[in-house]
Amino acid sequence: MPAPTLRERQSEFALMTGKLILKAYEMGYEVTLGDTFRDPRLHGEYGFKVGYGASRSYHKLRLAIDLNLFKDGGFLQGTEAHKPLGEWWESQGGTWGGRFEDGNHYSWGEGK
Ligand SMILES: [Zn+2]
């Protein structure tokens, strides 16, 4: 089977993002959405840094999302709070930003 194309990976990520959000609610959290797609016209092409964020950010490839986590109405800012959800995400084939001090970041596949 040939490797999936970027477009196919993006669609897989979109579906998995839905499952990630449902999983968060199952675990008793609420979420709001942070950064998802970072337009390379504003942030530089993949591999180039313009403004904030990493030059090789998967946000530029439509393969990453930042989720803001809440429990009992309170905003959970720390990386540690994301750990149960992050570990679940990893079990599904994703990369969790908690491994590189970016706890609310969830990307699809091996990249950040
Ligand atoms: Zn991010």
Side-chain angles (χ1 to χ4, degrees), residues 17-78:
T17 296
K19 293 180 180 181
L20 175 66
I21 293 168
L22 289 172
K23 190 69 184 178
Y25 280 81
E26 262 178 50
M27 291 177 167
Y29 300 107
E30 291 181 285
V31 302
T32 63
L33 306 181
D35 277 26
T36 304
F37 178 55
R38 287 187 193 142
D39 193 328
R41 292 173 296 184
L42 297 175
H43 296 277
E45 294 296 326
Y46 186 75
F48 294 86
K49 184 174 174 65
V50 178
Y52 70 92
S55 64
R56 295 185 181 275
S57 172
Y58 262 29
H59 286 288
K60 295 178 180 179
L61 300 179
R62 301 181 194 271
L63 292 173
I65 189 168
D66 299 334
L67 287 181
N68 304 312
L69 215 51
F70 297 82
K71 195 155 203 173
D72 301 322
F75 177 38
L76 305 176
Q77 261 187 298

Side-chain angles (χ1 to χ4, degrees), residues 74-89:
F75 177 38
L76 305 176
Q77 261 187 298
T79 287
E80 206 53 29
H82 285 262
K83 193 172 186 186
L85 193 58
E87 288 178 343
W88 178 83
W89 183 244

